[in-house]
Amino acid sequence: MNFSTPTLIVNKTITLNNLDKMINVANKNNLILRPHFKTHQSIEVGNWFKEKGVGSITVSSITMAEFFSSEWNDITIAFPLNILEIGKLNLMIKENRVKLLIDSISSLKALDNQLEGPAEVYLKIDVGYNRAGLKVDEKQKIKSIINFCKTSDKISFLGFLAHFGDSYKSKNKMEIKNVFQKSIERIKVLSDGFPNFRISIGDTPTCSTIKKYPDFINEIRPGNFIFYDLAQYKIGSCEIDDIAIRMICPVVSIYEEREEVLIYGGSVHFSKDRLTENESDIFGYVYFGEVWDVSNKIGYIKSLSQEHGVVKLEKQISLKIGDKLNVIPVHSCLAVDKMGAFYESGKRVEIMK
């Protein structure tokens, strides 16, 4: 198609190859693959998973669970319960199996008090990311939550859910493996102390790198792996040709004396996520020519404002106003969310609104 404004495109072949590899890891380890759908946010891509036999999904909000509930009936909401949305939740659980996340006895009691039907809950465990959840050594709090669920006629306790978020701070595969090992050691303490409960873990870096899982892990929940992005490539989660997403941006000005190009494509399209490379900010790798050819890199986006993107050229190349450049974004999840839709084989794919 002849795109005239910043446009996000997805390569289905690469996407399905990424999915096949993750399914293979799950199958070899007898794990449930419960992919996180916050990356693609689309019914269309969700159906690609379904066609591959994936029957359970993860989402990041009650709103996202509502969106996918028309096609999926086994959904984990991997965000601690927001009790102010209990009305929407009560409507949803009448027809869908929704697994909830709690991380305190107070939120559990509030849920039990206002819930109008049965629900299953995971306890969020913090293995070192310091974002949400209880630490594995907070045994009394963990016991209180499990015991409370035993007395409830509406809430069933499933087990423990963890996100190895420190893996995103890694610089290479070895650091990713180290994060996994340290996190698994903490989870092992939890499993030994509270056996016979399910344990769900998930993040794209470790799920893309680790091939063998201990028997006490029951499921994995990666999300970004379906498209990958520049951030995942830079830490070693994937190869550059595993990245299944590009932003097509028009050239609007050329500054030969600065060896820079201005593109129509800014923070409203990419987000402001950045990487650092050779002491320079990087907002995306820039290519020219065939969209999926990773040998034709010509530079990188050095700065973004709302609609503007400034590209630093790394090689001499003949460009003209109106040419279109192909950009690998730093963070595919946010690029998809910012754009509100993407194209696959010329077809517009809508995402959750």
Side-chain angles (χ1 to χ4, degrees):
M1 294 183 68
N2 188 22
F3 303 118
S4 59
T5 59
T7 304
L8 201 60
I9 63 172
V10 163
N11 186 310
K12 184 176 181 180
T13 299
I14 298 175
T15 295
L16 293 180
N17 185 54
N18 293 338
L19 178 54
D20 284 340
K21 286 189 284 189
M22 197 63 71
I23 289 173
N24 186 50
V25 170
N27 288 344
K28 284 184 175 180
N29 288 275
N30 196 29
L31 296 169
I32 295 170
L33 174 60
R34 184 183 290 274
H36 207 312
F37 274 19
K38 69 177 180 179
T39 298
H40 62 83
Q41 298 188 46
S42 69
I43 297 296
E44 174 84 10
V45 176
N47 286 335
W48 301 351
F49 284 85
K50 192 176 291 186
E51 290 164 4
K52 294 284 187 177
V54 176
S56 308
I57 69 171
T58 305
V59 299
S60 56
S61 66
I62 291 176
T63 300
M64 193 176 291
E66 285 182 310
F67 177 75
F68 284 109
S69 65
S70 62
E71 297 288 334
W72 299 83
N73 192 40
D74 187 356
I75 303 173
T76 294
I77 303 175
F79 184 86
L81 173 71
N82 172 21
I83 196 63
L84 297 182
E85 294 182 285
I86 190 66
K88 290 198 294 185
L89 180 61
N90 279 327
L91 287 174
M92 194 184 316
I93 63 174
K94 292 179 180 179
E95 299 182 1
N96 298 92
R97 288 179 58 206
V98 179
K99 297 171 176 60
L100 306 176
L101 191 62
I102 54 97
D103 66 353
S104 69
I105 189 69
S106 57
S107 64
L108 183 62
K109 289 179 177 179
L111 176 65
D112 187 65
N113 185 51
Q114 299 183 50
L115 201 60
E116 295 178 358
E120 299 171 312
V121 300
Y122 277 108
L123 173 60
K124 178 64 183 285
I125 297 297
D126 179 5
V127 291
Y129 194 36
N130 296 319
R131 185 174 67 176
L134 296 182
K135 305 289 187 182
V136 296
D137 58 1
E138 295 184 278
K139 294 182 179 180
Q140 193 54 51
K141 290 182 180 180
I142 294 172
K143 286 180 182 177
S144 297
I145 286 171
I146 294 173
N147 290 335
F148 183 90
C149 290
K150 289 178 180 178
T151 66
S152 172
D153 58 359
K154 292 179 285 189
I155 299 174
S156 301
F157 186 80
L158 286 175
F160 308 101
L161 183 147
H163 173 65
F164 299 173
D166 280 350
S167 64
Y168 294 87
K169 302 174 186 176
S170 302
K171 296 181 178 65
N172 51 54
K173 286 182 183 290
M174 184 55 66
E175 290 190 8
I176 293 173
K177 291 177 180 179
N178 289 341
V179 168
F180 179 82
Q181 188 57 41
K182 290 177 182 178
S183 301
I184 283 295
E185 288 171 2
R186 293 179 177 131
I187 292 292
K188 178 69 163 57
V189 172
L190 188 69
S191 177
D192 290 344
F194 301 93
N196 304 317
F197 290 113
R198 296 186 200 177
I199 297 181
S200 172
I201 64 174
D203 63 281
T204 284
T206 65
C207 289
S208 299
T209 306
I210 303 301
K211 304 306 177 187
K212 179 63 177 175
Y213 288 78
D215 292 339
F216 56 84
I217 301 300
N218 302 109
E219 75 174 20
I220 53 174
R221 310 181 323 277
N224 179 280
F225 79 97
I226 197 63
F227 294 154
Y228 286 118
D229 52 32
L230 193 56
Q232 294 298 319
Y233 167 66
K234 292 295 289 183
I235 67 173
S237 293
C238 67
E239 300 300 326
I240 194 77
D241 51 9
D242 292 326
I243 303 174
I245 195 165
R246 300 287 190 276
M247 188 83 76
I248 310 301
C249 296
V251 172
V252 295
S253 293
I254 300 171
Y255 310 109
E256 295 179 359
E257 69 284 358
R258 290 172 13 204
E259 297 181 323
E260 293 179 352
V261 169
L262 180 67
I263 58 172
Y264 181 14
S267 59
V268 297
H269 309 105
F270 290 98
S271 85
K272 280 271 192 174
D273 274 20
R274 74 187 73 184
L275 302 172
T276 301
E277 191 174 286
N278 299 322
E279 299 184 350
S280 297
D281 287 337
I282 305 286
F283 294 89
Y285 277 2
V286 181
Y287 299 78
F288 182 57
E290 200 281 319
V291 174
W292 304 104
D293 182 359
V294 294
S295 68
N296 60 358
K297 181 171 178 275
I298 64 169
Y300 60 91
I301 298 179
K302 61 173 283 189
S303 66
L304 289 174
S305 49
Q306 187 160 327
E307 307 283 350
H308 303 65
V310 177
V311 176
K312 183 65 177 179
L313 297 176
E314 295 176 317
K315 62 171 66 172
Q316 287 192 344
I317 186 170
S318 178
L319 291 174
K320 63 181 185 299
I321 304 300
D323 279 341
K324 285 173 277 192
L325 303 184
N326 316 312
V327 183
I328 296 180
V330 169
H331 193 168
S332 60
C333 307
L334 289 181
V336 169
D337 189 67
K338 287 281 189 180
M339 294 300 292
F342 51 85
Y343 284 81
E344 189 280 313
S345 298
K347 175 186 175 184
R348 182 179 172 89
V349 178
E350 301 292 341
I351 71 165
M352 182 185 81
K353 301 299 184 184

